[in-house]
Amino acid sequence: MKKVLYLCVLAVVIGISACGGKKGTQDEGTLAVLQDSTDAKGNQRMQASNSEQKITFKGKEYVSRVSRTPDESLPLVKNESGDTYVDNTISLRLMRGNEMVFSKTFTKNDFSSLVGSSFLSRSILEGIVYNKTTSQGIMYAASVCYPQSDLFIPIAITITADGQMTMVKDEQMEEIYESDSI
């Protein structure tokens, strides 16, 4: 139930920013997603995706680009059923005009301070999406999860106007789940 609610929030954010079939940058954003696949060895992977979002923060225009790529160089992840999954890298780039404000390629290990090592060893980096702007900065929602399960850890990433990053477990999502079960 928790993952379903979180994925619904992510789907709404992606749905709001998605605009397909047109070339060039759109004010509404663009998103390219294909279906997941399994290779000849039986390794399952999420398809590569790219999204671009125009964001206004403190009166200035930013362009956010998020790209997810299955990465064969990362260790494979096995679930309890023995299914094998390819983990992902996700690149986040934030531009203000011609200035690169923030650029980082994430792996699930970048979240090791927030996710326990036991969970991390059996999980993949599922996604990062633009969420909202706050007085603190531009916020993204990230998810580290057991592949194809309801077990995940939501993480809030905040990027400030000068490119500083902070990450915290998204406690707000946990509060929604707790109130949902009452």
Side-chain angles (χ1 to χ4, degrees):
M1 177 65 188
K2 291 179 181 179
K3 187 170 185 179
V4 171
L5 181 59
Y6 186 68
L7 290 177
C8 287
V9 170
L10 288 176
V12 168
V13 171
I14 290 171
I16 290 171
S17 67
C19 179
K22 297 180 182 176
K23 292 185 178 183
T25 301
Q26 302 293 318
D27 287 342
E28 298 86 15
T30 57
L31 179 69
V33 180
L34 301 173
Q35 292 181 337
D36 294 351
S37 66
T38 303
D39 65 18
K41 296 177 188 174
N43 297 330
Q44 297 180 46
R45 75 189 78 243
M46 298 177 78
Q47 286 295 330
S49 66
N50 296 296
S51 68
E52 185 172 288
Q53 179 83 30
K54 285 190 177 182
I55 302 167
T56 302
F57 177 60
K58 295 189 176 183
K60 299 196 177 181
E61 291 290 321
Y62 292 79
V63 175
S64 169
R65 291 186 181 98
V66 179
S67 300
R68 179 184 65 210
T69 306
D71 191 332
E72 303 287 337
S73 71
L74 295 172
L76 296 173
V77 174
K78 273 194 178 184
N79 68 8
E80 292 176 357
S81 302
D83 298 323
T84 307
Y85 297 86
V86 176
D87 203 349
N88 302 301
T89 58
I90 301 179
S91 296
L92 171 59
R93 310 255 187 287
L94 189 62
M95 303 275 300
R96 182 177 51 236
N98 292 327
E99 176 189 1
M100 180 70 70
V101 175
F102 182 82
S103 178
K104 180 167 179 58
T105 299
F106 291 89
T107 67
K108 68 182 178 187
N109 290 328
D110 289 307
F111 304 99
S112 63
S113 65
L114 303 171
V115 178
S117 60
S118 175
F119 187 91
L120 207 59
S121 68
R122 298 185 352 208
S123 64
I124 63 170
L125 179 56
E126 183 177 43
I128 297 176
V129 296
Y130 166 74
N131 185 9
K132 63 183 176 181
T133 59
T134 67
S135 59
Q136 290 81 31
I138 299 170
M139 294 188 67
Y140 293 84
S143 178
V144 176
C145 71
Y146 283 177
Q148 297 183 348
S149 80
D150 288 342
L151 299 171
F152 74 105
I153 297 184
I155 298 163
I157 301 170
T158 303
I159 310 296
T160 63
D162 63 351
Q164 299 301 308
M165 177 185 71
T166 57
M167 299 185 299
V168 296
K169 277 188 188 178
D170 194 345
E171 303 297 329
Q172 182 179 2
M173 291 303 292
E174 289 177 16
E175 291 170 10
I176 289 170
Y177 303 142
E178 289 170 4
S179 66
D180 198 29
S181 63
I182 294 177

